[in-house]
Amino acid sequence: MAMKKGSLTVFLASGWKASLRSAAGGRDMAEEVAKAGKAGKCSLKLLESLRKRTHFTRQEIEALCRMYQKLVSSNTLIFSGGQCCVPPLSGISMSPAATVCEGLDRVVFRELLHNTFDLVTEEVLMDRIFCAFDRCNVGTIRLEEWVCGLSVFLRGTFEERTAFCFLVYDLNNDGYISKDEMFHLLRNCLVKQPQDEDPDEGVKDLVEMALRKLDSDHDGKVSFKDYQKAVKDEPLLLEAFGQCLPAETPCQTFISTLNS
């Protein structure tokens, strides 16, 4: 068996809930988010709230708000030579306008990850990244979730990125990465060779190796505490079960576009 890019190549060689939480202010803030999404800009109240809770400047948040509105009301953004444009994109079905629930749907978000962040990963991980952004679990990514999610994507601390990756890998959101979840995630990391009679046996071996690396309390599953400790000791284990964070170069390109 051979290993695909973004899997456990380096690995073999050698209760997060806070970052994307809802804004304080409940219904009032939700109304601000809805108004900002429709207007394509942030109110002073929402802008200040996002500035305090993210790693963005005021100018960058305003740019992200404008970008968000273009994504929601028109088409996906494509970056060419570091410049942002909004070309027509056939076949994209946009979410209908619906006050607070208006936002980016899965199709548009996937196009964004591919075209802007050059993120090419497994289907299950693409879906889980979307869910990590969609903290309200309404099927679309709202303005506040967009800004907070990109804060982790682009400038997240090591702790924030550790929490984000764990959330992505915890497929059923029960606070643990189980052996079944590891098997499901790692199965797509292997390319079957002609001589392989049972490729699943190789995946099972990988799961056992992962448990030895990550399961510090030896209970047969990986808690966030286990994962946090393992990644702190060996940072290369951060994306042990597949790529779910963008590389440095597309991040810098995106940030430079915000400030241009």
Side-chain angles (χ1 to χ4, degrees):
M1 293 184 184
M3 190 70 66
K4 285 183 183 178
K5 180 182 178 182
S7 59
L8 283 179
T9 306
V10 179
F11 176 13
L12 296 176
S14 45
W16 172 67
K17 300 291 180 185
S19 295
L20 302 179
R21 63 188 181 280
S22 296
R27 184 174 179 181
D28 289 341
M29 184 56 70
E31 291 173 354
E32 292 291 339
V33 172
K35 291 176 182 177
K38 289 184 177 181
K41 60 183 179 181
C42 289
S43 68
L44 292 177
K45 181 179 179 181
L46 178 59
L47 190 150
E48 185 60 20
S49 172
L50 291 173
R51 189 187 64 78
K52 289 179 179 179
R53 296 185 299 112
T54 66
H55 303 296
F56 294 124
T57 66
R58 176 170 175 165
Q59 175 186 339
E60 289 168 342
I61 293 172
E62 289 176 339
L64 286 171
C65 289
R66 291 191 296 270
M67 236 180 245
Y68 175 86
Q69 176 59 13
K70 289 179 181 179
L71 282 166
V72 170
S73 63
S74 182
N75 292 296
T76 192
L77 298 177
I78 297 179
F79 283 78
S80 176
Q83 298 300 313
C84 175
C85 55
V86 190
L89 188 63
S90 61
I92 294 296
S93 176
M94 300 299 294
S95 300
T99 63
V100 176
C101 290
E102 180 186 66
L104 303 182
D105 65 20
R106 292 173 186 268
V107 176
V108 175
F109 186 70
R110 285 167 60 88
E111 290 292 327
L112 177 81
L113 294 183
H114 281 307
N115 298 328
T116 303
F117 294 110
D118 195 26
L119 194 62
V120 180
T121 190
E122 303 301 334
E123 186 77 18
V124 63
L125 289 179
M126 294 291 279
D127 186 66
R128 288 299 300 164
I129 294 170
F130 177 88
C131 292
F133 271 71
D134 177 24
R135 298 302 295 134
C136 291
N137 194 30
V138 296
T140 58
I141 297 171
R142 300 185 302 174
L143 174 61
E144 180 192 3
E145 296 167 331
W146 156 258
V147 177
C148 290
L150 286 179
S151 177
V152 176
F153 242 42
L154 299 172
R155 290 188 177 138
T157 64
F158 186 73
E159 291 74 18
E160 288 172 335
R161 291 185 167 212
T162 299
F164 181 86
C165 290
F166 182 85
L167 181 63
V168 170
Y169 298 146
D170 179 14
L171 302 182
N172 64 357
N173 298 312
D174 68 349
Y176 296 93
I177 306 173
S178 67
K179 292 179 71 172
D180 286 342
E181 287 170 328
M182 292 180 204
F183 183 88
H184 188 59
L185 289 166
L186 294 176
R187 191 175 190 181
N188 292 324
C189 293
L190 295 177
V191 180
K192 185 178 178 181
Q193 300 297 321
Q195 67 272 19
D196 293 332
E197 295 183 0
D198 187 0
D200 285 354
E201 287 302 314
V203 181
K204 292 176 183 177
D205 291 340
L206 284 179
V207 170
E208 292 304 319
M209 294 178 71
L211 281 173
R212 288 197 293 271
K213 287 282 188 179
L214 299 169
D215 182 19
S216 60
D217 58 7
H218 307 294
D219 63 351
K221 55 188 176 183
V222 178
S223 66
F224 178 62
K225 185 177 180 180
D226 291 335
Y227 182 75
Q228 194 175 35
K229 180 180 183 302
V231 171
K232 185 176 181 181
D233 293 339
E234 179 49 76
L236 292 176
L237 291 173
L238 179 64
E239 295 180 88
F241 299 109
Q243 184 186 9
C244 51
L245 291 169
E248 183 67 22
T249 298
C251 284
Q252 291 304 317
T253 300
F254 188 89
I255 290 172
S256 66
T257 300
L258 294 181
N259 290 290
S260 63

